[in-house]
Amino acid sequence: MFPFEDDFAATLRAIVDDVASVAREVASAQIAELRILAAAGRLAEAQTAQRNARVQVHDMALRSIAAEVGGVMRVTDRTVQRRIGEARTLIEGFPATVEAWEQGRIVRGHAIAIVETGTSLPAEIWTEFEQVAISRCERDTPNRLRGELEILAHRMHPRSFAERHEQAAAGRCVRIVPGRDGMSDVVATVPTVIAEGIHDRLTQQARAIIDTRDERVAARGCAGVAFGEAASDGDTDGYRDDDAAAIIATDQRSTDQVRADVFADLLLAGAPALDDTRDTTSGPLGAIRARVQVLVPAATLTGEDDGPCDLAGRSPIDPATARTLAGSTPIWERLFHDPTTGVTVATDSYRVPSGMRRFLQARDQHCRFPGCRVAAIRCEVDHTHDHALGGRTELSNLAHLCQRHHSMKQFTAWRVRQLKGGVLEWTSPLGRTYREDAPTPAVAFTPAKPPPHPPAGPAPF
């Protein structure tokens, strides 16, 4: 436990107060700059309006003003012109957002998220959208809210999400962006759920390679090595067993590097060409499959609603893909939630039963530390009150924490307690409290009359 001495705590408290004060000053300056840039844009528009000018003339006036401002800001006129456009969109199109930012109810990240998600809507809906968006932003961090705001915008759009996704999917492509020093970026524009699955499978395979390094070095008769290393069968392929072991022993690649190597291996060879993570008969590396966590509203699952579904930790996906995943996954089960006869709410053992785990994944959706958005399927189920100290394995004492924040709860002076309804109340070493409300339920039921059986809703898969 970190020793928080009185002097240390006082110094830290002063630093935190200074950060808050500076943040207010920075926000005030940023808003002032946006208003000035928006005024520059209006000046260009007024200058050309007086002359009844063509569009090209208006653009020239805007370029000239942008160049003048850019000389003071020491950035290019192109950058200033772009920022003028962005400033006018925020200042003139989302005035309530600017006001909330100015009052300290939201921060710059919230404002950016509101504008970036709101501008996908027709301009006549912006006012309605930002009113709802601001109220949601006041209770959470920008990165946590972005996915929720995207879903809100999708639901408010006059065209269905399914229709817009179908049109967007027609633009899928792969392109190369040349880089420096002989490197390039391979960029694939694909449906979000496909991208998430690709990244998840690559991550699992990279971890399998890294986690088995020691045992592969120790194993005699190593049949193959990681990407870029030749398979070993005596001297047939140019490597003896001890050569292969030496190569593995000196493999210091990071997860990102191994992930990139496996990515290239899969595309060029069609499968992991050299799979020696544990043996050569079952091909464990190639057997790894992608996992995604999707929250599907019951009405969307049954086809009564055509709105977007939430790819936890990422962004919305189209309902057709969500229904396909729900129908084909081998681990799909209905989630029954009834306080007395449905979900298992407690157990005497330390291990969390699968039914409780599925319920917690649907409830939490992501790490429950304020601001963290790591998906629940990549988090650990933590006993809020430690099991070793008498904490029970029950829904009211369990919550998902990512490895980073789970460790912080264990080894720092941060403390947490779970309130009614799955609300977590975190207390910092300085005594500041942060409430982490349970996410908006993925499924809600409003039956016309009491159902004959406990209502069922989907679990994440």
Side-chain angles (χ1 to χ4, degrees):
M1 198 63 61
F2 195 91
F4 277 84
E5 304 292 345
D6 291 343
D7 291 344
F8 179 86
T11 302
L12 179 58
R13 190 182 306 278
I15 290 174
V16 173
D17 290 342
D18 287 344
V19 168
S21 176
V22 170
R24 289 191 293 270
E25 294 176 6
V26 169
S28 178
Q30 289 173 332
I31 294 171
E33 182 184 75
L34 287 170
R35 287 198 168 112
I36 293 170
L37 291 175
R42 290 193 296 272
L43 176 62
E45 188 173 305
Q47 183 181 11
T48 53
Q50 294 174 357
R51 304 174 184 175
N52 193 25
R54 300 187 308 276
V55 173
Q56 184 179 8
V57 177
H58 166 69
D59 186 59
M60 289 300 111
L62 182 59
R63 288 187 192 182
S64 177
I65 291 175
E68 188 74 48
V69 175
V72 176
M73 298 179 69
R74 297 192 177 184
V75 295
T76 67
D77 59 298
R78 290 178 182 272
T79 299
V80 174
Q81 188 169 342
R82 172 180 55 80
R83 291 176 60 180
I84 286 174
E86 294 171 349
R88 293 197 68 180
T89 298
L90 177 56
I91 298 297
E92 299 168 15
F94 296 84
T97 300
V98 178
E99 181 182 1
W101 180 13
E102 204 164 24
Q103 294 172 350
R105 292 154 52 200
I106 63 175
V107 297
R108 180 175 180 269
H110 287 128
I112 293 174
I114 290 173
V115 172
E116 289 183 350
T117 54
T119 48
S120 65
L121 294 165
E124 58 268 21
I125 305 180
W126 288 1
T127 299
E128 180 185 357
F129 171 79
E130 70 170 337
Q131 293 298 334
V132 180
I134 290 169
S135 66
R136 297 190 181 183
C137 286
E138 289 176 338
R139 59 178 172 79
D140 221 329
T141 57
N143 67 317
R144 182 79 65 77
L145 263 298
R146 179 172 288 275
E148 186 176 341
L149 294 183
E150 288 179 349
I151 290 179
L152 173 64
H154 289 313
R155 291 198 175 277
M156 293 181 67
H157 203 287
R159 294 173 61 204
S160 73
F161 183 84
E163 181 183 356
R164 286 177 286 124
H165 172 75
E166 182 178 359
Q167 180 178 351
R172 61 191 181 277
C173 62
V174 176
R175 57 192 183 278
I176 296 178
V177 180
R180 296 180 178 178
D181 303 323
M183 303 296 288
S184 292
D185 293 327
V186 179
V187 181
T189 300
V190 296
T192 300
V193 70
I194 300 299
E196 176 72 4
I198 290 171
H199 190 270
D200 180 80
R201 189 183 184 208
L202 290 172
T203 299
Q204 291 184 70
Q205 292 179 326
R207 287 174 179 167
I209 290 173
I210 292 173
D211 292 346
T212 59
R213 280 172 179 164
D214 292 343
E215 64 184 83
R216 288 186 287 134
V217 170
R220 294 178 60 85
C222 182
V225 290
F227 172 84
E229 304 162 4
S232 176
D233 182 12
D235 290 329
T236 304
D237 294 323
Y239 284 107
R240 299 189 309 275
D241 295 341
D242 53 347
D243 292 334
I247 293 174
I248 299 171
T250 57
D251 183 3
Q252 299 297 320
R253 291 175 298 171
S254 66
T255 300
D256 275 338
Q257 290 172 330
V258 177
R259 189 160 39 205
D261 292 344
V262 173
F263 172 77
D265 197 6
L266 287 170
L267 288 178
L268 296 175
L274 303 172
D275 187 355
D276 73 325
T277 52
R278 284 184 178 85
D279 59 67
T280 59
T281 57
S282 59
L285 192 64
I288 291 174
R289 290 296 177 262
R291 303 170 303 171
V292 293
Q293 178 184 346
V294 182
L295 298 174
V296 189
T300 302
L301 187 64
T302 59
E304 298 175 21
D305 182 79
D306 215 19
C309 301
D310 185 18
L311 182 63
R314 298 294 181 181
S315 59
I317 64 170
D318 64 291
T321 297
R323 294 187 195 109
T324 300
L325 291 172
S328 62
T329 178
I331 62 171
W332 171 262
E333 294 181 14
R334 292 187 299 171
L335 178 63
F336 290 89
H337 178 35
D338 184 279
T340 56
T341 62
V343 173
T344 301
V345 297
T347 180
D348 292 332
S349 66
Y350 172 80
R351 188 183 66 83
V352 181
S354 59
M356 291 178 67
R357 189 178 296 273
R358 290 195 298 274
F359 174 82
L360 289 167
Q361 286 180 346
R363 184 197 74 180
D364 293 347
Q365 301 182 29
H366 44 61
C367 171
R368 296 296 307 286
F369 187 83
C372 186
R373 194 168 159 75
V374 175
I377 58 173
R378 295 184 178 83
C379 294
E380 303 162 351
V381 178
D382 170 65
H383 289 71
T384 306
H385 178 53
D386 291 350
H387 186 268
L389 300 177
R392 289 177 54 79
T393 304
E394 57 188 6
L395 295 179
S396 59
N397 190 48
L398 298 172
H400 282 88
L401 296 179
C402 67
Q403 187 177 32
R404 172 187 176 86
H405 294 124
H406 194 179
S407 298
M408 197 171 76
K409 171 180 174 286
Q410 291 178 301
F411 302 115
T412 75
W414 278 85
R415 293 293 175 261
V416 61
R417 65 186 183 121
Q418 188 161 164
L419 308 179
K420 187 177 180 181
V423 176
L424 298 188
E425 184 179 78
W426 290 85
T427 303
S428 77
L430 293 181
R432 296 172 181 264
T433 58
Y434 303 87
R435 284 173 62 93
E436 169 63 17
D437 295 337
T440 303
V443 181
F445 296 93
T446 54
K449 59 182 179 179
H453 301 290
F461 48 84

